[in-house]
Amino acid sequence: MIKEVSAEAKGRVNLIGEHTDYNGGWVLPTAIPQGTKVNLSARDDMEVHATTGMSFSKAESALKYTIGKESPTKSWIDYIQGATKILLAAGHPVRGFNIHVESTVPVGSGLSSSAALEVSLLKALREMFSLKLTEIEIAKIGQQIENEFVGAKVGIMDQMACALANFGEALFLDTKKMEFERIRIPTEKMDLVVINSGVEHQHAGGDYNQRRSECEQACEKLFIRELREFGIEDLPKLKELPDKLMRRARHVITENERVHQAVAAIRSGDMDKLGQLFYESHASMRDDYEVSIAPIDLLVELCRQQPASYGARLTGGGFGGSIVAITHKGKGSEVANAVAQAYFEKSKVKATILVPAPQ
């Protein structure tokens, strides 16, 4: 056992492929500069003492619990409790430790603040206790923490992205087969923009889990296991569904198709096509999946009004959070600043530009 270790995981922005991962579909995330770092020091007992900087949590900054007696508290320490509970149940030899967490990923921004914490924590525990865990196994445990301990029925995308995504590359991930390919982003042709709306979301809330339930209901009525089994050619079959379930399923099926088209557009350097797919994805999330909100729609529309913007869309689970946009090369900061200024004038809410990093 190592006495002191530290580990870091970057946040992620999903370029396209939203709410497809828990339907066995395809996603296309990439890493962002903001990340989460954990520092661990070993203890001689089974207690975990956790502290964090205010940049990560507005709740209690110092909490503790005993390994083997984990119990959900609805605070940020539940991600740590979930990790030790799952590792212990799987036979991994974990003991007490002190942990300090610092993060520059805004909480509730749709940029995987929770996944970045889970992955950085699990990487640190792997080193401290010499655990035999691969990056993919770490991602799966992170998802298990969310699903079984925190209560958010998220898919695997966030954890896989935080564990494996690199700057300047998109992680083209088949969440059913757990196969992935790294696709180079043509940064010589475009700038990436990420803007946090200032409206927090919360995955453990009922709306996110309800969408997953609606997809499962649609599958039951369509006699399939997962919506990934249907392609664009199967859309006429959705007319048998109730309207709400039809629209939920239509979003997932068309979004899977958009991911594949986006990969082709990136490979060919067709930024106009990629931008069009962004706008189509946002419209589908707004109208069919109903996970967007007025401030997010405003940010996307303000991007649309910028001549140097190729496209923009809600990124992440929705109900708040951030948008992702692509612009002409060298115009990212200019577009982001103009959009943030207009957003404040119209909403009186201050948006935060995360990418490109403010100069």
Side-chain angles (χ1 to χ4, degrees):
M1 182 179 70
I2 302 173
K3 291 293 186 180
E4 292 189 10
V5 301
S6 63
E8 185 175 7
K10 295 300 182 184
R12 69 98 188 97
V13 63
N14 191 25
L15 299 178
I16 199 163
E18 224 67 73
H19 292 275
T20 53
D21 58 348
Y22 55 78
N23 286 292
W26 294 264
V27 294
L28 195 65
T30 188
I32 59 174
Q34 291 78 15
T36 297
K37 183 177 182 179
V38 299
N39 294 301
L40 269 61
S41 60
R43 296 178 58 87
D44 294 329
D45 53 25
M46 293 296 282
E47 289 191 354
V48 174
H49 291 217
T51 59
T52 182
M54 293 302 289
S55 61
F56 181 77
S57 174
K58 295 177 182 176
E60 302 91 336
S61 60
L63 298 165
K64 64 180 180 178
Y65 70 94
T66 301
I67 294 176
K69 297 181 179 179
E70 293 87 351
S71 179
T73 64
K74 303 297 182 184
S75 69
W76 63 273
I77 201 173
D78 285 355
Y79 296 100
I80 303 171
Q81 289 198 88
T84 57
K85 181 179 177 68
I86 290 165
L87 289 172
L88 203 62
H92 292 292
V94 293
R95 292 187 54 80
F97 55 89
N98 301 314
I99 176 172
H100 182 73
V101 180
E102 290 289 348
S103 182
T104 53
V105 184
V107 176
S109 62
L111 302 172
S112 297
S113 59
S114 59
L117 171 57
E118 293 152 7
V119 170
S120 58
L121 167 64
L122 288 165
K123 285 183 175 180
L125 291 173
R126 175 176 65 183
E127 183 177 355
M128 175 169 274
F129 297 110
S130 301
L131 307 180
K132 297 186 184 304
L133 295 172
T134 66
E135 255 62 28
I136 291 178
E137 288 169 333
I138 281 176
K140 288 180 176 180
I141 294 171
Q143 182 193 19
Q144 197 178 350
I145 293 168
E146 300 260 12
N147 290 175
E148 299 177 9
F149 199 86
V150 176
K153 302 301 182 183
V154 301
I156 193 67
M157 174 183 66
D158 292 358
Q159 290 77 15
M160 284 290 285
C162 290
L164 292 164
N166 296 323
F167 299 124
E169 294 178 341
L171 193 72
F172 179 32
L173 171 65
D174 181 332
T175 64
K176 173 72 170 181
K177 297 180 179 179
M178 291 297 282
E179 297 173 351
F180 64 90
E181 181 181 354
R182 301 184 190 277
I183 310 294
R184 191 186 74 82
I185 297 172
T187 52
E188 71 281 2
K189 291 190 173 186
M190 53 154 275
D191 284 356
L192 185 68
V193 171
V194 181
I195 303 175
N196 180 12
S197 68
V199 181
E200 290 188 13
H201 73 177
Q202 189 173 4
H203 275 177
D207 288 328
Y208 187 96
N209 291 344
Q210 181 183 343
R211 293 300 181 279
R212 182 164 187 165
S213 174
E214 289 164 350
C215 290
E216 291 167 352
Q217 292 172 49
C219 287
E220 287 179 14
K221 293 181 180 296
L222 294 167
F223 302 103
I224 57 176
R225 291 176 64 91
E226 292 177 304
L227 286 172
R228 81 167 269 145
E229 297 173 30
F230 272 18
I232 296 297
E233 68 280 2
D234 296 303
L235 286 176
K237 298 176 184 177
L238 303 186
K239 66 179 184 295
E240 306 298 327
L241 296 173
D243 179 68
K244 182 182 289 186
L245 298 187
M246 182 275 292
R247 288 185 289 113
R248 302 299 189 252
R250 183 169 62 190
H251 164 73
V252 174
I253 293 166
T254 57
E255 187 78 347
N256 277 328
E257 175 66 18
R258 282 187 287 270
V259 173
H260 286 86
Q261 290 186 21
V263 169
I266 290 173
R267 283 179 168 148
S268 66
D270 190 344
M271 296 300 99
D272 289 316
K273 176 62 175 178
L274 185 59
Q276 175 192 338
L277 292 167
F278 273 35
Y279 286 134
E280 290 175 1
S281 173
H282 181 77
S284 182
M285 294 171 72
R286 180 192 64 211
D287 302 334
D288 276 353
Y289 222 66
E290 296 182 286
V291 293
S292 191
I293 59 174
I296 293 290
D297 294 339
L298 174 59
L299 281 172
V300 170
E301 186 55 37
L302 291 171
C303 282
R304 193 191 299 271
Q305 295 171 12
Q306 291 292 315
S309 174
Y310 286 117
R313 59 181 289 278
L314 165 64
T315 187
F319 312 106
S322 303
I323 67 160
V324 60
I326 52 172
T327 73
H328 295 185
K329 178 63 180 176
K331 295 293 185 179
S333 292
E334 179 183 317
V335 169
N337 286 323
V339 168
Q341 178 64 31
Y343 177 73
F344 181 76
E345 291 172 358
K346 291 179 178 293
S347 69
K348 304 307 176 190
V349 177
K350 182 175 172 54
T352 304
I353 300 167
L354 300 172
V355 180
Q359 300 298 315

